[in-house]
Amino acid sequence: MRQLFIIFSLLLTGIIHVFPQYNADPSEYLFDGYQDAIVIYKDGKQFQVPVNYNLLMKRFLFLDALNDNKPMEFGEINKISAIKVDKRIFYISNKMEAIEVLQFSPGIWVYYQGKIKDEGKNAGYGGKSHTTAVESYSRIESGGLTHFLAGEKKKLDGVKMVYQIEMGKKKKKVMNLTQFYNLFPAHKTQLKAYVEANTIDFSDTQQMVGLCNYALSLN
């Protein structure tokens, strides 16, 4: 009943859009299934709904209990302050990327970006033409919704993680360990030894938090 009331309230306030007709593959999502979440708006309002983040479309979606649990897209996304999924806190970047807060002080964040692969168009003789590079794909954004152009079949080709680290009054982004080492030129040898000794995986957020804190302690 509470969930129905929440969805009904959302409909009244006009802050949702119907999700475009698109059959999403489960692998396109950040979470393993829809997760109970609290959506916090900048005006202080909070709503509890199941959400997931579609990496291909760069959108947080929620399930509408009044519409056969179909995925719906939040409208006026700029009015959302944060989305809490269990103990995890997410923001939404200006580019609609999901940003997770890994640590508040010093600040460490991670951006989740879907790598987009064009599965190709028919090229005759049963072949496919793959002329569109990863991260380059056709789409139309209208009224807060994203629509892929007809005939352009897209597929998620992995997840790129970009970490942002608070260093003094600046925030530095890194997309791989090489870039991370370059942030601490005086301590490259120590950091490489730490990474090797602890078998750090760049895609493991908790391991990366430990590495960041270790590197910051050396400065």
Side-chain angles (χ1 to χ4, degrees), residues 33-215:
Y34 279 77
Q35 305 293 318
D36 289 336
I38 298 175
V39 182
I40 304 171
Y41 281 80
K42 294 176 182 178
D43 62 3
K45 293 178 182 177
Q46 298 186 15
F47 302 98
Q48 186 173 348
V49 287
V51 305
N52 209 333
Y53 180 77
N54 188 293
L55 291 153
L56 188 63
M57 303 191 73
K58 293 185 179 181
R59 291 293 187 272
F60 267 104
L61 309 174
F62 71 92
L63 298 180
D64 182 5
L66 296 181
N67 194 18
D68 297 324
N69 281 325
K70 290 181 179 179
M72 306 286 284
E73 180 180 335
F74 293 100
E76 299 182 320
I77 199 74
N78 61 310
K79 293 185 178 181
I80 293 178
S81 175
I83 296 177
K84 295 180 67 176
V85 181
D86 194 16
K87 296 181 179 180
R88 303 171 69 179
I89 299 176
F90 292 85
Y91 299 138
I92 302 170
S93 76
N94 293 332
K95 295 181 179 180
M96 303 303 291
E97 297 159 342
I99 310 172
E100 183 176 3
V101 181
L102 300 180
Q103 179 174 283
F104 284 101
S105 182
I108 303 174
W109 304 265
V110 61
Y111 291 66
Y112 295 96
Q113 302 175 344
K115 297 178 183 179
I116 312 302
K117 179 181 179 181
D118 184 3
E119 289 199 311
K121 300 178 182 179
N122 291 329
Y125 302 101
K128 290 280 186 178
S129 172
H130 298 271
T131 57
T132 305
V134 170
E135 297 290 357
S136 176
Y137 55 99
S138 301
R139 61 177 184 162
I140 298 175
E141 294 196 21
S142 175
L145 300 182
T146 301
H147 305 267
F148 287 97
L149 297 181
E152 297 291 335
K153 191 174 183 181
K154 306 301 173 182
K155 183 178 181 180
L156 188 69
D157 192 34
V159 181
K160 180 171 66 177
M161 300 172 72
V162 180
Y163 291 91
Q164 187 173 50
I165 308 162
E166 185 178 21
M167 299 180 67
K169 295 182 179 181
K170 296 182 178 181
K171 296 176 181 178
K172 301 289 187 177
K173 287 184 178 181
V174 295
M175 298 192 303
N176 51 56
L177 285 173
T178 299
Q179 291 182 358
F180 180 83
Y181 296 143
N182 290 336
L183 292 181
F184 307 91
H187 305 294
K188 279 187 178 183
T189 302
Q190 289 168 277
L191 292 175
K192 288 181 179 180
Y194 180 94
V195 168
E196 184 176 353
N198 294 277
T199 59
I200 298 298
D201 180 355
F202 191 80
S203 64
D204 188 313
T205 56
Q206 292 307 306
Q207 288 186 10
M208 285 301 297
V209 168
L211 174 61
C212 290
N213 286 327
Y214 173 70

